[in-house]
């Protein structure tokens, strides 16, 4: 028995006769498998991080390429029609939005029907009348 084991038994109060039969063979660390597994996971995560960093660096070029590929009103209109044909909620939303905007426009038009001419309208009518009169005078002189 080594002096260190005897010293350890002395400090801890263990019976050194029990430990006399033990050998000092090295035992495998029970957490070694966990460490190896963790290292594999860490390496995998590092590879993923490198891939995402590369994608992040190239995202501006990819976005520019994508934006230049399809531009125009007709492509957007086709995409909008595809979305509305597949989703009834989207179609309902756009019908509601269209109805609301149409109502706002018609509200302005309907409010003009019952109104008396405002000062601006009177000024415009007067300016038109003056211009018509000046054109008539010019035609009479020629």
């Amino acid at each position: 028995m080594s002096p260190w084991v005897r010293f350890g038994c002395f400090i801890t109060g263990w019976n050194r006769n029990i430990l006399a039969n033990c050998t000092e063979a090295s035992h495998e660390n029970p957490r070694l498998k966990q460490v190896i597994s963790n290292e594999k996971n860490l390496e995998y995560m590092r590879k993923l991080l490198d891939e995402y960093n590369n994608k992040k660096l190239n995202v501006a070029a990819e976005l520019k390429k994508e934006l230049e590929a399809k531009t125009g009103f007709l492509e957007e209109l086709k995409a909008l029609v595809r979305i509305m044909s597949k989703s009834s909620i989207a179609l309902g939303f756009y019908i509601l939005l269209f109805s609301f905007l149409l109502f706002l426009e018609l509200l302005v038009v309907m409010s003009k029907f019952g109104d008396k001419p405002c000062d601006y309208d009177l000024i415009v009518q007067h300016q038109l009348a003056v211009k018509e009169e000046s054109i008539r005078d010019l035609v009479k002189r020629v």
Side-chain angles (χ1 to χ4, degrees):
M1 180 179 297
S2 78
W4 290 109
V5 173
R6 279 187 257 141
F7 179 69
C9 290
F10 173 72
I11 290 176
T12 58
W14 287 6
N15 188 353
R16 61 181 167 161
N17 293 331
I18 294 173
L19 294 176
N21 297 332
C22 295
T23 61
E24 293 183 21
S26 64
H27 296 283
E28 183 179 326
N29 188 349
R31 295 192 177 199
L32 184 63
K33 290 180 182 177
Q34 182 67 34
V35 169
I36 293 171
S37 173
N38 287 346
E39 286 178 359
K40 287 180 183 177
N41 287 337
L42 189 60
E43 187 63 32
Y44 174 72
M45 292 295 172
R46 283 184 182 142
K47 286 180 184 177
L48 279 179
L49 182 64
D50 289 340
E51 288 176 16
Y52 289 137
N53 284 335
N54 289 336
K55 284 181 182 178
K56 191 166 59 170
L57 291 173
N58 298 330
V59 75
E62 290 176 8
L63 181 63
K64 185 177 179 183
K65 209 183 297 181
E66 182 180 328
L67 290 176
E68 289 174 353
K70 287 189 176 180
T71 55
F73 178 71
L74 292 178
E75 283 85 10
E76 291 180 12
L77 190 61
K78 287 176 185 177
L80 185 65
V81 167
R82 272 187 269 138
I83 289 171
M84 286 192 294
S85 67
K86 291 182 181 177
S87 173
S88 60
I89 294 173
L91 180 63
F93 172 76
Y94 279 104
I95 288 173
L96 183 69
L97 184 66
F98 177 76
S99 302
F100 176 71
L101 294 175
L102 183 66
F103 171 74
L104 285 178
E105 290 296 326
L106 291 177
L107 185 66
V108 172
V109 171
M110 295 302 287
S111 70
K112 281 295 201 178
F113 279 130
D115 284 349
K116 299 176 187 174
C118 65
D119 292 340
Y120 176 75
D121 292 335
L122 293 173
I123 291 171
V124 170
Q125 286 175 359
H126 175 68
Q127 288 175 351
L128 285 174
V130 169
K131 285 184 182 180
E132 284 178 9
E133 188 177 326
S134 65
I135 289 175
R136 282 187 199 132
D137 288 341
L138 218 125
V139 169
K140 286 181 184 178
R141 287 183 193 167
V142 175

